[in-house]
Each structure stands twice: as C-alpha cells, then as structure tokens.
Amino acid sequence: MKATAGACALALSIVLHAPSALAKTPVATGTGGAVATISEQASQSALGILNAGGNAIDAAVAAAATLGVTDPFSCGIGGGGFMVIYLARDKRVITIDHRETAPASFTPAAFLENGKPVDFDTAVASGASVGVPGTVRGWHEALERYGTMRFRQVLAPAIKVADKGYTVTEIFSHLTAQNERKFQLYAPTSALYLRKGKALQPGALIRNPGMARAYREIASGGVEAFYEGPIARAIVDAVNKPPLAPGKSARAGRMTMADLANYEARIRQPLRTTYRGYEIFGMPLPSSGGATVAQALNILEGFDLKGMPRARAEHLYLEASRLAFADRNAYLADPEYIDAPVAGILSKEYAAQRRSLIGAQAARKVSAGDPYSYQNDQSVPLRPPAVKMQRENAHTTHLTVSDKDGNVVSYTFTIESWGGSGIVVPGYGFLLNNELTDFDFSGPHPNVPEAGKRPRSSMAPTIALKDGKPAFTIGSPGGSTIITTVLQTIFNYIDLGMPMDQALDAPRLSECNCEATSIEPGFAGSEQARALEKFGHRWDAAVEEIGAANALVFNPDGTVTAVSEGKRHGVGSALVQRRGH
Ligand code: GLU
C-alpha cells in the first residue's frame, strides 16, 4: 500500500519545547556490565537489559534497536552490520556478518547508464541502491546462538522510546537539514522527519509509532515477520515503487519477496593479528575493516614508536595507513565472489616489505603491492588495474557492551549514507539503506555489483585481548574513515600511551591513500599540524568531524571503563552497572 503524506503525518506527533535529553556521561568506570553508545536512551536500554539478567549480546541488540529509533539516519532495521563477540565461557571470538546483499536481479551494469557510472547522489536516493536488509537476521542469530533473551524482551525498551517519543537534538536537526532534498522526494519520509518540507528544530519531540509497530511485529512473529510477512511486502513495494511525494521522481529497484526470504547472516571466523602483545580481532571480508587495520598495524609494528617524537610517530601512522589502503582499494571485496589475497595482506613478511617503502617524507600516492607472493595459495591471482578510490559516504553507528560474566560485544551497523536511500517504509517508520552504492560502479574491480553479492564495507568493530583476556574494544562510524579512526585510536592508546578517553578525543587524521589527509575542524594551523607538515603532509580542504567512536577498557584491577565521545556527535553515553572501584 502506498501511504499518502497526509496519512503519515498523522503518525507523527511534534511537541515543541519538550524537556531536554538526560545528561550524558562520556566516561564511566565500575564493575558488572558496561556500555558505550552515542545515544543516552540506547545506553539506558542496554543497562536495563543487563540489570534484568540479560547478557552482553541481549543488551547489544536492545541498544541497537533503540539507536534505530533515536539515530534513525545512521542505522536501523532497514540496513545491516557486523558484530564481533567475545564469548567468555568458550574463550573465543566469533563474528556475525549481516551485511545487506544485492538482490538476485542485480548486475554489474546496475549503476551504469550508456556505459557510464550514474551520478552518485542520484543513485543514493533511489530504490536501486537498497540492499536486502540484514539487521534483523543478524540480531536473530546473535540472540539465538549467544543470547539469553527473545526479541520480545530486548525490543521492549526501543518500543517504549518509539511510542513515548524522543527529543530532536542539535545534531539530529542538522542532519535532517542536510538531507532535506532527499527526504522531500518521499512522502512517508517528509511526513515523518520534515515539517512543511523543513527539518524539525531542536527541542521538538518525535514519536515513531510505525517503527514501534515494526518492532512489535518482530517481537511477536520473530525473524519471519520481517523477512516473510507484511513488513517484507512493504519493503519490496517501497523499493520497486518508491513512495514518491507529488511531482518527484527516483530510480526504482528490483527486489523480490524471495530476496528477503533467502537472506542469510553469516557466522564468520574473526580476522586476527597480533600487535605489541595484544591479539587484535576484527571483522573479515566483506568488510575491509579488519584486514586494513591489521595490515597497517603490522606495518607500524616494525617501528619503535614509543622512542620517537610524536610528529614522527604520527607521520609513520599516516604512511602505514596509506599503504594499507592502497591494497584495500585494489583487492578487497566479498570473499564469496572473489579470491582476495587476505593471507598475503596479513603476513608479517609482506608488512615488512611494505614498511620498507615508507620514507622520511609523506608519499603523495602509493600503488598496491603484491600480497600474492606472501601466501601459499596463489591461485586465481587477480591483479586488477590501479583504480581511483570511489566516493564513500561517512555515517553509521558503533556500540559496545560487556556483561558481568565477561562476554563482550563490539558492534557497528548502518544504513550507509545519512538517511540511507531516503525511503521510509510506509506504515513501518524505518529508513531503507543505500548500501549498494558501496559497490564500485564500474569495473574491472573485485567490488563491482553482482547478484547476491555483499558490497565491500569499511566497518571495523574490534576486540583486543591481552594474555588471553579482553583488554579493550573499539569501533567507529565514518565510511572509509572508520578504518583510520580505529587504527589511530589503537595507535594513540598503545603507542602514544594515551588513556582511552584521550585516545578517542584526540584530533582524527584520516589517510586513505588520497591526495590529502582528511582532518577535523580546528586542526589546520595547530602546532601538531605544523609539525606534520614538516614531513610533507597535506590536509584536505573539506573539514568535518570524523567518526563518533565508542570503546571499553578492561582495567587490571577488574573494573571496566566505558568510553564514548566527549565532544563529537553531541557527546556519547557511557554507563556501567555499578559505578566506582
Ligand atoms: N557503508 C559504510 C561501510 O560499510 C558504512 C557507512 C558509513 O559509515 O559510511 O563501510
């Protein structure tokens, strides 16, 4: 059914001057379980589940479901993600890949017109960019395999927030304003998130009964309610015949009920490397996050960073990132479709060879190396031509939770761009992703679009162990800058010896083997910037906040410190079950 703007407007209730949000605490230390997210309500949801006897997996799903309500432009059940879990009883790390997939109708020409790539923004705001959502299947697998609670319990806090409403924050209002044109395309989106075509002001209260309804149907009908029931039908209709506002147009997609019914999450072995006494566990392909962070760390490991001036260490961090990105950009994609040379990329010998390319001055741009020579299996050596890095948007959310029994979750999930495709599913209040624009639009490239394929991601939820026990977690939003934020935070924490809150707060420098390094407001002209310029580093003119990260630190005295953002994205929320030592 196609909803009209009028019908959807009834679903939205706006009350100006509502009470301001609860005060957020970005750092908390204590015992029992802990959580860090970017949303006070989401952290509270996780804490409530922990206090009710749920484990970290239950609490992570509860937090994620709440983030879907309060941060609907960066994540939700219309998207997908990657969850890394440390299981205390088994002393092992496992991952759940619930990345969106291309429908069975997809082809390598999906984003070409007359042989040329279509305009990126037009592709984003369309039914054609929507991948089959993986989030609900991922949550289901997490709860069934490793949780203790059912959907009914863990979705309850999010349903409450969607029903009662939440206050529009500065950042929410700002993100809506940035996306007005995209949201104006679609009737249900305009009705839910705009007023007279404009962004809601900070202080307005939004209720989302449609999303509460979707969660209720999942709570009572289970995972099938999403993938086979009326929600599935509504998704397919919205993709194939986008619910346009009068006079607007957008490309349609081609998704079927079978695409949804056939969707599977994948349980994957984590990707593992070692770094200065830590074991670092990350996400394997189709996310390039784990491999690229690991490769850059392997390159850095050969330098005595502690014994050198900070600017020189940061120069090496930037160059290691540049080299790892050259390989990432050339080789990595969905492993079910491409024989990516991950073993070579992770080899310490290959890292040594890449390290030898780092000079006293910043390189402008480096070529991909030859990781195939560093792995036993040299079959199907696809050596693609050098490619220009395709534009990648930078959004998403990351959360992390631990429980009193020592289970730990590091979880990043997304709908890709802010506001995804811009399509709110009529009647159900959630935005559909535009994850398929994470494919490279034209080949030859391992990451070209194909039927059933998962577009390459940068998401890098990470868990680090030391002496066989959890030491810290880290993860971030931010498209390709996810990788550099995770890498830089590990570098700040381990090599520069910063406490985790400072490691997170420090200015982010993101080098993706581009012409210039991405920086944040206030960095250019600083002493730190000038010191790096002496090594030949140059800064991108487009300056914006990079990645609101979240972390946990397991302290030697048995306490846990939850760390969220002190400044970015309107300040994050860190909570522990029992505060203090
Ligand atoms: N689509 C991105 C990825 O998978 C995540 C969204 C973002 O942070 O931009 O890497």
Side-chain angles (χ1 to χ4, degrees), residues 395-409:
H395 318 301
T396 301
T397 199
H398 177 79
L399 64 95
T400 180
V401 188
S402 65
D403 65 30
K404 63 175 173 29
D405 297 322
N407 301 301
V408 183
V409 176

Side-chain angles (χ1 to χ4, degrees), residues 99 393-396 414 416 435 438 457-459 477-479 482:
R99 181 72 160 168
N393 281 345
H395 318 301
T396 301
T414 190
E416 215 307 279
E435 213 66 60
D438 269 2
S457 171
S458 298
M459 288 186 266
I482 290 173

Side-chain angles (χ1 to χ4, degrees), residues 52-105:
N55 70 8
I57 294 89
D58 304 319
V61 176
T66 306
L67 278 160
V69 181
T70 60
D71 280 56
F73 305 145
S74 56
C75 62
I77 56 175
F82 297 99
M83 190 184 287
V84 180
I85 307 173
Y86 173 77
L87 298 162
R89 202 184 54 192
D90 299 347
K91 297 196 188 314
R92 70 185 172 108
V93 180
I94 195 75
T95 78
I96 304 177
D97 158 7
H98 46 289
R99 181 72 160 168
E100 300 91 326
T101 61
S105 62

